[in-house]
Every structure is written in structure tokens, then in C-alpha cells.
Amino acid sequence: MKALAVSLLGWMLVPLVALAQQPAADLNTITSITVNGGTVEITGSKKPDFNSFTMTDPPRLVLDVSGAVFQGVDEEQPVGNGTVTGIRTATYGTESASIARILIGYEREVETDIQSAGNKLVVKVLGGGGNTAVAANTPAQPQGTAEIASATNTPTGANAQDAAKAAASDRDAQDKAAKAAADAARADREAQEKAAAEASARAKADADAERQKQEEARLASQRQDEERRTSEAAAIAERKRQEEDARVAAQRAEEERRTAAQAAAEAQRQQQAQAQASAKSSAEEKRAAAQAAAEEKRAAAQAAAEEKRATAQAAADAKRQRAEEAQAATQARREEQQQARASAAETRRQKAEEARESRQQRTVASRETPSRAASQGSSARESGGGQTSSRRKTMTLVGFQQQPDSSRVFVRTNEPVRYTVSESGNQVVLELENTRVVESNNTLPLDTHFFPSAVSRVEAFAGAGHTVRVVIQLKQGVRYQTRQDGGLITLDFPRPGR
């Protein structure tokens, strides 16, 4: 009976109008239907708005979720767990008013409790019936006719007839609903087309009236423009005639005035020329006499001034020469004093630097000797740096870097430094001589244990005697390479197992 009921579910639920599988953005998208014993859980993207009703022969529960579509849900899910025989899904309605239908088939008449929880719809069979099987997407194994009759104590023909009747009743009801939905859609479409036609006719009539008004306005404006242009042309012609008459009259008056002015000016010019000739002759004589006297006086004054300037220049040159000689002597003495002071200061600084380095070496030696004696198996592996300046260096950066086949710990200083490298067990210590740490960030530990590297931790701190110690903790002892390039010291550790 289970196999027969599952096969008949295909006839019990036929969609009236199938929709596209791509859900609209504002619809409730049902993505999962699961069965656990007698409980069916329907999961969507929104809170469900649903109606439900039951059917008999065979027992079924129908859920219609409004404004919903399916996505990734099989149309048929055979179950056969003793309570639920199977589940069928379909979508019908219009695209803007889609309805998702879920039909749940049961082995027998049951009472159900339907609850909405958030985006889920949960259908439970009351009374605790059903096993704990989960719905599968593979059909149940078919049973023979004799086995079905034996399991239900009911003739096989009667079950088939009842199922066929139920299927026919479902098809009739669904055909009627489909016809009603199609008629409603057609009426809606015809009403929309009629409204669109009426709106188009009104728009065309309005457009024709507006076009006629615009044409009349254009003709009226054209007539006004022609009248305006004619009036402006006449006014321009009259204005030009008047301007020409005024220009001719003004030109005649200007010529008459110019002729009279030229005659008067010529007469005045002749009188002035005569007066100027007479005055010029008298003035030339006076000017010649005054110029001769002035030349004699200027020559005498110039000779006296030249003599006085020469005397003053000679005295000034002598005085300037004496001042320059005195200034040169003073400058020479000052430079000799400065050189003597600089030489003495440099000598004192060198002596102080040598004394400080000697104290520092003694301090480092006294500090390292008991440490090396106390730690068995530890030894200085390498020292380097060569000849460096006596200035105090500054460690500017300590870092860690992954290489293709190794891990690198690098230390950057403002200039080359002398250093020593020692190891003890799984710990490597890089000690920078005559160096200090200025930035506190450079003393923060670097935790590198999560890298595929032999290095587990790197930490730098100020040591005794003006030194900086960089302690490198290893996960296991490996051979490493140390290199210094200018102000950069690198320690390369091969990866473990290489």
C-alpha cells in the first residue's frame, strides 16, 4: 500500500499554472522540506502566510503558502516511514501572486498540529505516531499485489478504485481552479488592455490638440516676427538717412571751423616766430657770456675738489690698510686658539672613549665568564662586525621573515656593529656591542610558533654594559647561517626536517 500510495501522489497534486524556478525578490523562497518521524519541517526565506485543508482516501494534508515559490526542492519525496508516505510540491497562480502547495500523504487518518516558527512551518502528528526515518529522494521499493492485500486486509482492487476516484476528484477540482484562474487572468489582461487603449487614445487626442495649439502659436509668432522685421527695417532706414544728413552737415561745419582756425593759427605763428627770433638773439648773447663765466668757475672748483679728494683718499687708504693688518693678526690668533682647543678636546674624547671601551670589555668579560661556566653545553658560535666606529649604535628594527626554504631573523642598526652569536640547547643569543634600543616597540616579543619554522619566539632587550641581546627560541636545534651587510644582521634557520 505504501508503494501504491506514493505512486498515486503524482495524480493527486497537479499544478494549475507552473512558474519559473527562479524566485522573485519579494516572494517567500522555500528551500527545504525535511521529515523526521511524524514531523514535517518546511523552511523558507520569510514568515509563511498559509492555509491548510485535509483530504481522504488516501489521507492527505494540503498546505498552500501564499506569495511563495520553491527553490532546490524536489517535486516528489517518497518517505514511507510508517506515518508519512511521501510529499509532493507544486507552484501555481500568477507570478506576482504565486502559491506554493505542499501535499503530505499519511498512512492513516491522523490529527496534526501546524505551528509557524520564524521562517519555518512545522507540521506535527499528534499522539506520538511514526518512526524516526528521514525523507529520501529515492522511490520506495515496490511491493507485490498479494503483499499489499495481506498488509492491509483490504482487497487490492478496492484500494486502486478509491485512489483513482480520489485522483479524479483532485483533477476535477484543480481543473476548475485552473480554469477560474485562467479566466480571471484573461479578464484582468483584457481590462488592462482596454485601459491601455483608452489611455493611448486620450494621449493621442491630447497630443493632437497640443500640436494644433503649437502650430497656431508658431504661425502667430511667425506673423509677428515678419511685422517686427518690416518695422525694424523701416526704422533702420530712416535712422541711417537722418544720420547721413547730420554727418554731412557736421562735416561742412567742421571744414569751415578748421579753415578759420588754420588762418588764425598761421597769423599767430608768424607773430610768435618774429618775437622768438628777436628774443633768441638777445638770449644767445647773454647765455654765451654766462656760460663762459660758469665754465671758468667750475674748472677752478673742480681742480680744488680733486686735490682735496686725492688727499683724503690717501689718508683713508692708509688707515684701512692699518685696520686690515690688525684684523688679520687678530684672526690668526683666534684660529690658532680654536685649533688648540679642538685638538685638546679631541685628545680628551679619544682617551675617554678608550677608557669607556676598556671598562665595557671588562664588564662584558666579567658578565659572560660565570654565565658560560654555569651553562653546560653552551658555546660561542660566531662573532663578527670587524672594525667599527666608537660611537654608540642604535638598534632600529628586529623582525622575522619566511623564506622559501628557511626562516630569517633580522636585526637592523643605524651603522655596522660588532656582535657575538652563542647557542645553548634550543636557544640562540645574538649580542650587539656598544648598542642601545630607543623604540620600546623593538622590545616586544615576536611569537612565531604558528609558522612552519624552526623559530618559536624572538625577543630583544637591553643588556648590561651598553649591549642589546636578541634571544631566539627554537622549536628544535638546527644549523643556521649568520651574515652582516652594513647595518643589517641576518640569521637564516632551515625549516625542520630539511
Side-chain angles (χ1 to χ4, degrees):
M1 179 177 179
K2 296 178 181 178
L4 180 60
V6 170
S7 63
L8 289 176
L9 286 175
W11 298 94
M12 298 175 185
L13 186 61
V14 178
L16 299 181
V17 180
L19 295 179
Q21 290 299 318
Q22 296 294 332
D26 57 346
L27 297 179
N28 185 358
T29 304
I30 298 174
T31 57
S32 173
I33 300 178
T34 58
V35 181
N36 186 8
T39 301
V40 178
E41 187 176 278
I42 302 166
T43 304
S45 61
K46 299 169 62 175
K47 183 177 180 180
D49 179 12
F50 68 95
N51 292 317
S52 65
F53 60 91
T54 59
M55 302 177 69
T56 59
D57 294 329
R60 291 151 291 169
L61 173 65
V62 180
L63 298 171
D64 285 342
V65 183
S66 301
V69 293
F70 294 103
Q71 186 179 50
V73 179
D74 295 338
E75 294 183 355
E76 181 177 353
Q77 296 186 29
V79 180
N81 62 3
T83 302
V84 179
T85 60
I87 296 176
R88 292 279 297 187
T89 63
T91 307
Y92 65 94
T94 62
E95 184 175 359
S96 60
S98 175
I99 297 177
R101 170 168 288 186
I102 302 101
L103 186 145
I104 306 173
Y106 294 102
E107 292 283 357
R108 58 188 177 278
E109 296 288 343
V110 296
E111 292 185 7
T112 58
D113 177 39
I114 305 173
Q115 297 290 336
S116 174
N119 295 344
K120 292 185 179 181
L121 192 60
V122 181
V123 182
K124 295 183 179 179
V125 174
L126 300 179
N131 300 322
T132 59
V134 180
N137 286 327
T138 57
Q141 294 295 329
Q143 299 178 0
T145 305
E147 293 174 345
I148 297 173
S150 173
T152 59
N153 294 324
T154 305
T156 304
N159 289 336
Q161 290 176 0
D162 293 340
K165 289 179 182 181
S169 176
D170 286 345
R171 284 197 302 275
D172 292 341
Q174 293 171 357
D175 290 341
K176 291 179 182 180
K179 185 175 182 304
D183 292 341
R186 184 170 57 254
D188 187 25
R189 186 171 60 254
E190 290 175 355
Q192 292 178 356
E193 291 175 353
K194 182 177 179 182
E198 293 176 354
S200 177
R202 286 195 299 271
K204 185 175 182 302
D206 294 341
D208 292 341
E210 182 65 23
R211 238 186 344 265
Q212 184 176 359
K213 290 180 181 179
Q214 292 178 357
E215 183 64 21
E216 292 175 355
R218 187 185 65 79
L219 294 176
S221 176
Q222 185 176 358
R223 287 193 299 270
Q224 292 177 358
D225 289 343
E226 291 176 355
E227 294 175 356
R228 178 178 55 77
R229 281 194 296 271
T230 302
S231 176
E232 289 178 353
I236 291 172
E238 179 63 23
R239 186 168 60 253
K240 287 183 177 180
R241 186 186 63 78
Q242 293 176 357
E243 290 175 353
E244 183 64 22
D245 293 343
R247 186 186 64 77
V248 171
Q251 186 176 1
R252 284 199 299 267
E254 180 64 22
E255 290 177 354
E256 293 175 356
R257 183 190 63 77
R258 190 180 301 113
T259 301
Q262 288 177 354
E266 182 64 23
Q268 184 177 4
R269 187 183 62 78
Q270 290 178 357
Q271 294 175 359
Q272 289 177 353
Q274 293 176 359
Q276 287 176 358
S278 176
K280 184 178 181 182
S281 177
S282 175
E284 285 292 337
E285 294 175 356
K286 291 180 180 179
R287 186 166 57 251
Q291 186 174 2
E295 286 293 337
E296 293 177 359
K297 185 176 180 181
R298 185 167 57 252
Q302 185 174 1
E306 286 293 337
E307 184 179 358
K308 184 177 181 180
R309 185 164 55 252
T311 303
Q313 183 66 31
D317 290 342
K319 184 177 180 180
R320 184 170 58 253
Q321 185 176 2
R322 290 193 298 272
E324 289 176 354
E325 291 175 355
Q327 184 177 2
T330 303
Q331 182 67 21
R333 288 194 300 273
R334 185 181 299 112
E335 290 178 356
E336 291 176 357
Q337 293 174 358
Q338 289 178 351
Q339 291 177 356
R341 285 195 297 271
S343 177
E346 180 64 21
T347 301
R348 288 194 301 272
R349 188 187 66 77
Q350 291 179 355
K351 290 181 178 180
E353 187 66 25
E354 292 174 357
R356 185 177 62 79
E357 290 183 355
S358 177
R359 289 195 303 273
Q360 178 180 350
Q361 292 174 359
R362 289 196 300 273
T363 303
V364 171
S366 62
R367 179 177 55 80
E368 289 183 348
T369 299
S371 173
R372 290 173 180 170
S375 57
Q376 296 179 356
S378 65
S379 61
R381 293 289 303 278
E382 186 179 352
S383 63
Q387 295 295 329
T388 61
S389 69
S390 59
R391 293 186 296 273
R392 185 80 176 275
K393 287 77 174 175
T394 301
M395 189 192 77
T396 59
L397 180 65
V398 58
F400 173 81
Q401 186 179 30
Q402 282 284 76
Q403 303 291 337
D405 296 325
S406 63
S407 302
R408 171 171 291 181
V409 177
F410 60 91
V411 177
R412 190 180 300 277
T413 57
N414 63 335
E415 61 179 276
V417 301
R418 289 186 56 81
Y419 67 90
T420 58
V421 182
S422 62
E423 61 177 305
S424 175
N426 291 341
Q427 188 178 84
V428 176
V429 178
L430 170 66
E431 189 166 11
L432 308 178
E433 300 179 4
N434 194 21
T435 307
R436 61 184 176 181
V437 181
V438 177
E439 298 291 339
S440 59
N441 289 340
N442 291 328
T443 61
L444 297 177
L446 301 177
D447 186 4
T448 62
H449 75 278
F450 46 82
F451 288 104
S453 167
V455 180
S456 175
R457 180 184 177 92
V458 181
E459 184 173 7
F461 54 88
H466 301 292
T467 62
V468 173
R469 293 171 59 86
V470 180
V471 179
I472 304 170
Q473 188 68 39
L474 303 179
K475 300 175 184 176
Q476 64 185 57
V478 295
R479 298 179 64 86
Y480 57 90
Q481 293 182 353
T482 307
R483 180 182 177 186
Q484 184 180 36
D485 185 5
L488 179 66
I489 301 175
T490 59
L491 292 87
D492 291 331
F493 299 85
R495 291 189 180 178
R498 293 186 178 268

PDB file of all heavy atoms in Angstrom, residues 38-67:
ATOM      1  N   GLY A  38       6.955  11.666  12.428  1.00  0.00           N
ATOM      2  CA  GLY A  38       5.690  12.268  12.037  1.00  0.00           C
ATOM      3  C   GLY A  38       5.747  13.777  11.946  1.00  0.00           C
ATOM      4  O   GLY A  38       4.712  14.421  11.838  1.00  0.00           O
ATOM      5  N   THR A  39       6.954  14.390  11.988  1.00  0.00           N
ATOM      6  CA  THR A  39       7.111  15.848  11.941  1.00  0.00           C
ATOM      7  C   THR A  39       7.679  16.251  10.585  1.00  0.00           C
ATOM      8  O   THR A  39       8.698  15.706  10.142  1.00  0.00           O
ATOM      9  CB  THR A  39       8.048  16.337  13.045  1.00  0.00           C
ATOM     10  OG1 THR A  39       7.511  15.945  14.313  1.00  0.00           O
ATOM     11  CG2 THR A  39       8.193  17.862  12.998  1.00  0.00           C
ATOM     12  N   VAL A  40       7.003  17.199   9.925  1.00  0.00           N
ATOM     13  CA  VAL A  40       7.461  17.751   8.643  1.00  0.00           C
ATOM     14  C   VAL A  40       7.830  19.214   8.886  1.00  0.00           C
ATOM     15  O   VAL A  40       7.012  19.984   9.397  1.00  0.00           O
ATOM     16  CB  VAL A  40       6.386  17.627   7.555  1.00  0.00           C
ATOM     17  CG1 VAL A  40       6.886  18.259   6.250  1.00  0.00           C
ATOM     18  CG2 VAL A  40       6.011  16.167   7.337  1.00  0.00           C
ATOM     19  N   GLU A  41       9.051  19.589   8.501  1.00  0.00           N
ATOM     20  CA  GLU A  41       9.543  20.956   8.721  1.00  0.00           C
ATOM     21  C   GLU A  41       9.796  21.622   7.366  1.00  0.00           C
ATOM     22  O   GLU A  41      10.566  21.103   6.545  1.00  0.00           O
ATOM     23  CB  GLU A  41      10.831  20.926   9.550  1.00  0.00           C
ATOM     24  CG  GLU A  41      11.295  22.312   9.959  1.00  0.00           C
ATOM     25  CD  GLU A  41      12.511  22.249  10.859  1.00  0.00           C
ATOM     26  OE1 GLU A  41      12.334  22.022  12.083  1.00  0.00           O
ATOM     27  OE2 GLU A  41      13.638  22.429  10.347  1.00  0.00           O
ATOM     28  N   ILE A  42       9.134  22.759   7.140  1.00  0.00           N
ATOM     29  CA  ILE A  42       9.214  23.496   5.860  1.00  0.00           C
ATOM     30  C   ILE A  42       9.939  24.808   6.148  1.00  0.00           C
ATOM     31  O   ILE A  42       9.471  25.621   6.950  1.00  0.00           O
ATOM     32  CB  ILE A  42       7.812  23.759   5.286  1.00  0.00           C
ATOM     33  CG1 ILE A  42       7.072  22.427   5.092  1.00  0.00           C
ATOM     34  CG2 ILE A  42       7.895  24.533   3.984  1.00  0.00           C
ATOM     35  CD1 ILE A  42       5.582  22.578   4.864  1.00  0.00           C
ATOM     36  N   THR A  43      11.063  25.034   5.465  1.00  0.00           N
ATOM     37  CA  THR A  43      11.918  26.199   5.719  1.00  0.00           C
ATOM     38  C   THR A  43      11.871  27.134   4.509  1.00  0.00           C
ATOM     39  O   THR A  43      12.092  26.700   3.373  1.00  0.00           O
ATOM     40  CB  THR A  43      13.375  25.789   5.974  1.00  0.00           C
ATOM     41  OG1 THR A  43      13.398  24.869   7.060  1.00  0.00           O
ATOM     42  CG2 THR A  43      14.232  27.016   6.307  1.00  0.00           C
ATOM     43  N   GLY A  44      11.559  28.406   4.766  1.00  0.00           N
ATOM     44  CA  GLY A  44      11.532  29.436   3.711  1.00  0.00           C
ATOM     45  C   GLY A  44      12.387  30.630   4.086  1.00  0.00           C
ATOM     46  O   GLY A  44      13.086  30.626   5.104  1.00  0.00           O
ATOM     47  N   SER A  45      12.322  31.661   3.246  1.00  0.00           N
ATOM     48  CA  SER A  45      13.109  32.872   3.477  1.00  0.00           C
ATOM     49  C   SER A  45      12.326  33.925   4.245  1.00  0.00           C
ATOM     50  O   SER A  45      12.911  34.930   4.665  1.00  0.00           O
ATOM     51  CB  SER A  45      13.578  33.463   2.139  1.00  0.00           C
ATOM     52  OG  SER A  45      12.449  33.810   1.345  1.00  0.00           O
ATOM     53  N   LYS A  46      11.012  33.738   4.447  1.00  0.00           N
ATOM     54  CA  LYS A  46      10.181  34.709   5.156  1.00  0.00           C
ATOM     55  C   LYS A  46       9.199  33.940   6.044  1.00  0.00           C
ATOM     56  O   LYS A  46       9.047  32.714   5.923  1.00  0.00           O
ATOM     57  CB  LYS A  46       9.413  35.608   4.168  1.00  0.00           C
ATOM     58  CG  LYS A  46      10.309  36.435   3.252  1.00  0.00           C
ATOM     59  CD  LYS A  46       9.525  37.090   2.120  1.00  0.00           C
ATOM     60  CE  LYS A  46       8.497  38.061   2.654  1.00  0.00           C
ATOM     61  NZ  LYS A  46       7.826  38.779   1.549  1.00  0.00           N
ATOM     62  N   LYS A  47       8.529  34.675   6.912  1.00  0.00           N
ATOM     63  CA  LYS A  47       7.495  34.054   7.735  1.00  0.00           C
ATOM     64  C   LYS A  47       6.341  33.633   6.829  1.00  0.00           C
ATOM     65  O   LYS A  47       5.838  34.418   6.024  1.00  0.00           O
ATOM     66  CB  LYS A  47       7.022  35.043   8.791  1.00  0.00           C
ATOM     67  CG  LYS A  47       5.988  34.445   9.739  1.00  0.00           C
ATOM     68  CD  LYS A  47       5.601  35.446  10.814  1.00  0.00           C
ATOM     69  CE  LYS A  47       4.574  34.829  11.759  1.00  0.00           C
ATOM     70  NZ  LYS A  47       4.172  35.761  12.829  1.00  0.00           N
ATOM     71  N   PRO A  48       5.888  32.359   6.917  1.00  0.00           N
ATOM     72  CA  PRO A  48       4.887  31.859   5.966  1.00  0.00           C
ATOM     73  C   PRO A  48       3.490  32.397   6.256  1.00  0.00           C
ATOM     74  O   PRO A  48       3.074  32.560   7.397  1.00  0.00           O
ATOM     75  CB  PRO A  48       4.960  30.343   6.172  1.00  0.00           C
ATOM     76  CG  PRO A  48       5.426  30.186   7.587  1.00  0.00           C
ATOM     77  CD  PRO A  48       6.341  31.316   7.862  1.00  0.00           C
ATOM     78  N   ASP A  49       2.759  32.671   5.155  1.00  0.00           N
ATOM     79  CA  ASP A  49       1.338  33.016   5.203  1.00  0.00           C
ATOM     80  C   ASP A  49       0.612  31.860   4.495  1.00  0.00           C
ATOM     81  O   ASP A  49       0.728  31.713   3.266  1.00  0.00           O
ATOM     82  CB  ASP A  49       1.100  34.356   4.502  1.00  0.00           C
ATOM     83  CG  ASP A  49      -0.373  34.746   4.509  1.00  0.00           C
ATOM     84  OD1 ASP A  49      -1.151  34.098   5.237  1.00  0.00           O
ATOM     85  OD2 ASP A  49      -0.749  35.670   3.756  1.00  0.00           O
ATOM     86  N   PHE A  50      -0.142  31.022   5.243  1.00  0.00           N
ATOM     87  CA  PHE A  50      -0.590  29.746   4.667  1.00  0.00           C
ATOM     88  C   PHE A  50      -2.045  29.454   5.037  1.00  0.00           C
ATOM     89  O   PHE A  50      -2.618  30.010   5.983  1.00  0.00           O
ATOM     90  CB  PHE A  50       0.311  28.608   5.168  1.00  0.00           C
ATOM     91  CG  PHE A  50       0.168  28.329   6.636  1.00  0.00           C
ATOM     92  CD1 PHE A  50      -0.688  27.339   7.106  1.00  0.00           C
ATOM     93  CD2 PHE A  50       0.873  29.090   7.575  1.00  0.00           C
ATOM     94  CE1 PHE A  50      -0.819  27.102   8.452  1.00  0.00           C
ATOM     95  CE2 PHE A  50       0.738  28.838   8.920  1.00  0.00           C
ATOM     96  CZ  PHE A  50      -0.111  27.852   9.372  1.00  0.00           C
ATOM     97  N   ASN A  51      -2.612  28.564   4.229  1.00  0.00           N
ATOM     98  CA  ASN A  51      -3.913  27.953   4.501  1.00  0.00           C
ATOM     99  C   ASN A  51      -3.728  26.435   4.414  1.00  0.00           C
ATOM    100  O   ASN A  51      -2.813  25.952   3.715  1.00  0.00           O
ATOM    101  CB  ASN A  51      -4.969  28.395   3.493  1.00  0.00           C
ATOM    102  CG  ASN A  51      -5.295  29.870   3.649  1.00  0.00           C
ATOM    103  OD1 ASN A  51      -5.440  30.360   4.750  1.00  0.00           O
ATOM    104  ND2 ASN A  51      -5.397  30.580   2.526  1.00  0.00           N
ATOM    105  N   SER A  52      -4.595  25.666   5.097  1.00  0.00           N
ATOM    106  CA  SER A  52      -4.468  24.209   5.076  1.00  0.00           C
ATOM    107  C   SER A  52      -5.860  23.574   5.035  1.00  0.00           C
ATOM    108  O   SER A  52      -6.844  24.152   5.510  1.00  0.00           O
ATOM    109  CB  SER A  52      -3.693  23.735   6.322  1.00  0.00           C
ATOM    110  OG  SER A  52      -4.433  24.025   7.501  1.00  0.00           O
ATOM    111  N   PHE A  53      -5.885  22.369   4.430  1.00  0.00           N
ATOM    112  CA  PHE A  53      -7.109  21.560   4.444  1.00  0.00           C
ATOM    113  C   PHE A  53      -6.690  20.103   4.271  1.00  0.00           C
ATOM    114  O   PHE A  53      -5.566  19.812   3.817  1.00  0.00           O
ATOM    115  CB  PHE A  53      -8.096  21.996   3.357  1.00  0.00           C
ATOM    116  CG  PHE A  53      -7.558  21.883   1.961  1.00  0.00           C
ATOM    117  CD1 PHE A  53      -7.724  20.716   1.211  1.00  0.00           C
ATOM    118  CD2 PHE A  53      -6.856  22.938   1.390  1.00  0.00           C
ATOM    119  CE1 PHE A  53      -7.218  20.627  -0.075  1.00  0.00           C
ATOM    120  CE2 PHE A  53      -6.358  22.848   0.094  1.00  0.00           C
ATOM    121  CZ  PHE A  53      -6.529  21.688  -0.638  1.00  0.00           C
ATOM    122  N   THR A  54      -7.586  19.194   4.652  1.00  0.00           N
ATOM    123  CA  THR A  54      -7.284  17.758   4.601  1.00  0.00           C
ATOM    124  C   THR A  54      -8.123  17.099   3.515  1.00  0.00           C
ATOM    125  O   THR A  54      -9.175  17.612   3.109  1.00  0.00           O
ATOM    126  CB  THR A  54      -7.559  17.089   5.956  1.00  0.00           C
ATOM    127  OG1 THR A  54      -8.947  17.286   6.301  1.00  0.00           O
ATOM    128  CG2 THR A  54      -6.695  17.699   7.047  1.00  0.00           C
ATOM    129  N   MET A  55      -7.599  15.950   3.067  1.00  0.00           N
ATOM    130  CA  MET A  55      -8.289  15.130   2.079  1.00  0.00           C
ATOM    131  C   MET A  55      -8.221  13.676   2.557  1.00  0.00           C
ATOM    132  O   MET A  55      -7.342  13.307   3.354  1.00  0.00           O
ATOM    133  CB  MET A  55      -7.634  15.269   0.701  1.00  0.00           C
ATOM    134  CG  MET A  55      -7.593  16.713   0.178  1.00  0.00           C
ATOM    135  SD  MET A  55      -6.749  16.875  -1.402  1.00  0.00           S
ATOM    136  CE  MET A  55      -7.918  16.029  -2.475  1.00  0.00           C
ATOM    137  N   THR A  56      -9.142  12.856   2.064  1.00  0.00           N
ATOM    138  CA  THR A  56      -9.208  11.448   2.480  1.00  0.00           C
ATOM    139  C   THR A  56      -9.084  10.542   1.266  1.00  0.00           C
ATOM    140  O   THR A  56      -9.179  10.990   0.116  1.00  0.00           O
ATOM    141  CB  THR A  56     -10.526  11.155   3.209  1.00  0.00           C
ATOM    142  OG1 THR A  56     -11.621  11.467   2.333  1.00  0.00           O
ATOM    143  CG2 THR A  56     -10.650  12.004   4.471  1.00  0.00           C
ATOM    144  N   ASP A  57      -8.883   9.262   1.576  1.00  0.00           N
ATOM    145  CA  ASP A  57      -8.805   8.206   0.541  1.00  0.00           C
ATOM    146  C   ASP A  57      -7.813   8.547  -0.549  1.00  0.00           C
ATOM    147  O   ASP A  57      -8.198   8.820  -1.691  1.00  0.00           O
ATOM    148  CB  ASP A  57     -10.201   7.971  -0.076  1.00  0.00           C
ATOM    149  CG  ASP A  57     -11.168   7.387   0.933  1.00  0.00           C
ATOM    150  OD1 ASP A  57     -10.694   6.645   1.836  1.00  0.00           O
ATOM    151  OD2 ASP A  57     -12.368   7.666   0.822  1.00  0.00           O
ATOM    152  N   PRO A  58      -6.540   8.497  -0.305  1.00  0.00           N
ATOM    153  CA  PRO A  58      -5.891   8.243   0.998  1.00  0.00           C
ATOM    154  C   PRO A  58      -5.802   9.517   1.826  1.00  0.00           C
ATOM    155  O   PRO A  58      -5.973  10.611   1.295  1.00  0.00           O
ATOM    156  CB  PRO A  58      -4.509   7.745   0.584  1.00  0.00           C
ATOM    157  CG  PRO A  58      -4.247   8.436  -0.704  1.00  0.00           C
ATOM    158  CD  PRO A  58      -5.570   8.521  -1.407  1.00  0.00           C
ATOM    159  N   PRO A  59      -5.438   9.413   3.137  1.00  0.00           N
ATOM    160  CA  PRO A  59      -5.366  10.615   3.991  1.00  0.00           C
ATOM    161  C   PRO A  59      -4.236  11.545   3.515  1.00  0.00           C
ATOM    162  O   PRO A  59      -3.121  11.105   3.278  1.00  0.00           O
ATOM    163  CB  PRO A  59      -5.072  10.037   5.389  1.00  0.00           C
ATOM    164  CG  PRO A  59      -5.462   8.600   5.314  1.00  0.00           C
ATOM    165  CD  PRO A  59      -5.239   8.163   3.916  1.00  0.00           C
ATOM    166  N   ARG A  60      -4.544  12.826   3.402  1.00  0.00           N
ATOM    167  CA  ARG A  60      -3.560  13.823   2.981  1.00  0.00           C
ATOM    168  C   ARG A  60      -3.827  15.151   3.692  1.00  0.00           C
ATOM    169  O   ARG A  60      -4.972  15.426   4.042  1.00  0.00           O
ATOM    170  CB  ARG A  60      -3.626  14.066   1.469  1.00  0.00           C
ATOM    171  CG  ARG A  60      -3.158  12.908   0.619  1.00  0.00           C
ATOM    172  CD  ARG A  60      -3.847  12.890  -0.725  1.00  0.00           C
ATOM    173  NE  ARG A  60      -5.261  12.567  -0.587  1.00  0.00           N
ATOM    174  CZ  ARG A  60      -6.165  12.682  -1.568  1.00  0.00           C
ATOM    175  NH1 ARG A  60      -5.789  13.120  -2.741  1.00  0.00           N
ATOM    176  NH2 ARG A  60      -7.419  12.377  -1.363  1.00  0.00           N
ATOM    177  N   LEU A  61      -2.752  15.900   3.861  1.00  0.00           N
ATOM    178  CA  LEU A  61      -2.829  17.272   4.383  1.00  0.00           C
ATOM    179  C   LEU A  61      -2.243  18.203   3.319  1.00  0.00           C
ATOM    180  O   LEU A  61      -1.117  17.984   2.851  1.00  0.00           O
ATOM    181  CB  LEU A  61      -2.036  17.431   5.688  1.00  0.00           C
ATOM    182  CG  LEU A  61      -1.924  18.867   6.226  1.00  0.00           C
ATOM    183  CD1 LEU A  61      -3.287  19.412   6.624  1.00  0.00           C
ATOM    184  CD2 LEU A  61      -0.956  18.919   7.412  1.00  0.00           C
ATOM    185  N   VAL A  62      -3.005  19.239   2.921  1.00  0.00           N
ATOM    186  CA  VAL A  62      -2.569  20.176   1.887  1.00  0.00           C
ATOM    187  C   VAL A  62      -2.302  21.536   2.534  1.00  0.00           C
ATOM    188  O   VAL A  62      -3.163  22.064   3.247  1.00  0.00           O
ATOM    189  CB  VAL A  62      -3.623  20.310   0.769  1.00  0.00           C
ATOM    190  CG1 VAL A  62      -3.128  21.303  -0.297  1.00  0.00           C
ATOM    191  CG2 VAL A  62      -3.904  18.953   0.152  1.00  0.00           C
ATOM    192  N   LEU A  63      -1.084  22.074   2.277  1.00  0.00           N
ATOM    193  CA  LEU A  63      -0.685  23.395   2.776  1.00  0.00           C
ATOM    194  C   LEU A  63      -0.456  24.300   1.572  1.00  0.00           C
ATOM    195  O   LEU A  63       0.356  23.972   0.685  1.00  0.00           O
ATOM    196  CB  LEU A  63       0.602  23.307   3.610  1.00  0.00           C
ATOM    197  CG  LEU A  63       0.533  22.448   4.869  1.00  0.00           C
ATOM    198  CD1 LEU A  63       1.927  22.277   5.450  1.00  0.00           C
ATOM    199  CD2 LEU A  63      -0.387  23.096   5.891  1.00  0.00           C
ATOM    200  N   ASP A  64      -1.162  25.436   1.520  1.00  0.00           N
ATOM    201  CA  ASP A  64      -0.959  26.448   0.469  1.00  0.00           C
ATOM    202  C   ASP A  64      -0.292  27.665   1.108  1.00  0.00           C
ATOM    203  O   ASP A  64      -0.904  28.372   1.923  1.00  0.00           O
ATOM    204  CB  ASP A  64      -2.292  26.845  -0.169  1.00  0.00           C
ATOM    205  CG  ASP A  64      -2.808  25.764  -1.121  1.00  0.00           C
ATOM    206  OD1 ASP A  64      -1.979  24.923  -1.526  1.00  0.00           O
ATOM    207  OD2 ASP A  64      -4.009  25.757  -1.431  1.00  0.00           O
ATOM    208  N   VAL A  65       0.972  27.926   0.736  1.00  0.00           N
ATOM    209  CA  VAL A  65       1.726  29.071   1.262  1.00  0.00           C
ATOM    210  C   VAL A  65       1.617  30.204   0.245  1.00  0.00           C
ATOM    211  O   VAL A  65       2.092  30.079  -0.887  1.00  0.00           O
ATOM    212  CB  VAL A  65       3.204  28.702   1.507  1.00  0.00           C
ATOM    213  CG1 VAL A  65       3.939  29.894   2.116  1.00  0.00           C
ATOM    214  CG2 VAL A  65       3.294  27.484   2.416  1.00  0.00           C
ATOM    215  N   SER A  66       1.009  31.319   0.646  1.00  0.00           N
ATOM    216  CA  SER A  66       0.795  32.453  -0.269  1.00  0.00           C
ATOM    217  C   SER A  66       2.102  33.207  -0.499  1.00  0.00           C
ATOM    218  O   SER A  66       2.924  33.344   0.407  1.00  0.00           O
ATOM    219  CB  SER A  66      -0.266  33.404   0.299  1.00  0.00           C
ATOM    220  OG  SER A  66      -1.482  32.711   0.482  1.00  0.00           O
ATOM    221  N   GLY A  67       2.242  33.741  -1.742  1.00  0.00           N
ATOM    222  CA  GLY A  67       3.422  34.549  -2.074  1.00  0.00           C
ATOM    223  C   GLY A  67       4.715  33.780  -1.915  1.00  0.00           C
ATOM    224  O   GLY A  67       5.670  34.316  -1.376  1.00  0.00           O
TER     225      GLY A  67
END
